[in-house]
Amino acid sequence: MSEKVYNVLFLCTGNSARSILAEVQLNVFGRGKFKAFSAGSYPNGTVNPFAIDFLQSNGFPTEGLRSKSWNEFAVESAPVMDYVITVCDQAAGEQCPYWPGQPMSAHWGVPDPAAVEGTDDQKRRAFRDTAAIMRRRIEMFTALPAASLDRLSLKSKLDEIGKTA
């Protein structure tokens, strides 16, 4: 019998940077135990070029990435999510759609690298720093013994991870 694959949806407002970085990293570091998706409450329609640059320069796959609405995941035909994780404070405070299957939710807010003003090097550094925070959180998340934790304990662990820098 094959091991369960957990579906995870990362949410942000624009779905152009943080949620994209989280989606790609979980799909790589989740080693087949997780299938990550990302979406935004008000997607801006494009993936930030600095996010693409960071991912490509670090050997991550970028094919098929796009900025999309969270409404795509609130329909009956969408994959059922096990976890929904907000990565920006604005999306965390918004009224989310109904998610079929009652997924576990958590907030892992990180600063928006797309909001950084300055030189291209400063912007690249912001994306690198944000990706590093997300990677640490994803590594802790993938190490959790989810199948052996009760729902309350798992929720507590997810919330703790969101406070890790």
Side-chain angles (χ1 to χ4, degrees), residues 92-128:
E94 292 176 343
Q95 181 65 39
C96 292
Y98 167 76
W99 306 114
Q102 299 178 326
M104 179 85 50
S105 65
H107 177 62
W108 293 359
V110 291
D112 186 1
V116 170
E117 295 183 14
T119 67
D120 284 357
D121 283 342
Q122 290 169 318
K123 292 175 184 180
R124 281 187 197 92
R125 190 174 314 115
F127 275 84
R128 184 191 67 227

Side-chain angles (χ1 to χ4, degrees), residues 5-117:
V5 175
Y6 295 96
N7 288 330
V8 181
L9 178 60
F10 289 100
L11 297 177
C12 202
T13 305
N15 188 222
S16 70
R18 293 168 283 188
S19 53
I20 295 282
L21 294 172
E23 171 189 6
V24 171
Q25 290 187 95
L26 181 56
N27 280 330
V28 170
F29 299 126
R31 296 176 194 72
K33 291 176 26 183
F34 297 88
K35 173 64 179 150
F37 305 86
S38 69
S41 53
Y42 297 95
N44 66 18
T46 60
V47 177
N48 187 291
F50 286 95
I52 296 293
D53 179 62
F54 170 82
L55 293 167
Q56 288 177 340
S57 66
N58 286 281
F60 290 101
T62 58
E63 188 170 331
L65 292 178
R66 63 186 179 87
S67 175
K68 58 204 157 299
S69 173
W70 63 12
N71 292 330
E72 289 187 26
F73 296 94
V75 297
E76 194 173 306
S77 60
V80 174
M81 294 300 148
D82 297 291
Y83 301 94
V84 175
I85 300 172
T86 55
V87 293
C88 71
D89 294 334
Q90 187 172 341
E94 292 176 343
Q95 181 65 39
C96 292
Y98 167 76
W99 306 114
Q102 299 178 326
M104 179 85 50
S105 65
H107 177 62
W108 293 359
V110 291
D112 186 1
V116 170
E117 295 183 14

